Amino acid sequence: MPRSARDIQLIELKDTISKLNELIMTQNKSMDSLQKTIEDLRQELSNKQAEVDYLKAKLFGSSSEKLKSPFPGQTSLALKSGVAPWHTGRSTALKTILHQ
């Protein structure tokens, strides 16, 4: 039975719609995959930024540096005079020796 031009056109349009639906499904899958990739990369970037911030704080942040004196108990004298006691004693002794 010969088909009319209208039937042929209808069949071609249905075929086109079917192919377009397949293309839409493929593109949706690709978009889902890309969204997942973007989410993973954002999380990785956030983790790396937190790591950089931590390392910066470790490297450049304030720390509790303590004065280590070779003479225990003399720390308070060093802090009061502004000069470490082991330097004042040594330089005084050297000045005494040099001036004699």
Side-chain angles (χ1 to χ4, degrees), residues 31-67:
M31 285 178 23
D32 290 342
S33 174
L34 291 172
Q35 287 292 347
K36 175 71 172 129
T37 301
I38 289 170
E39 183 181 318
D40 291 345
L41 290 172
R42 282 186 176 153
Q43 183 62 46
E44 184 178 348
L45 178 61
S46 176
N47 292 345
K48 295 296 181 186
Q49 186 61 49
E51 185 178 352
V52 166
D53 292 343
Y54 171 77
L55 291 173
K56 278 183 183 178
K58 247 347 210 174
L59 184 61
F60 299 114
S62 62
S63 62
S64 60
E65 295 181 11
K66 299 196 178 0
L67 179 64

Side-chain angles (χ1 to χ4, degrees), residues 4 13 18 27 56 66-67 71 76 80-81 86 91 96 100:
S4 68
L13 287 173
S18 176
Q27 288 179 338
K56 278 183 183 178
K66 299 196 178 0
L67 179 64
F71 304 107
S76 60
K80 287 180 183 175
S81 68
W86 53 92
S91 64
T96 306
Q100 288 179 353

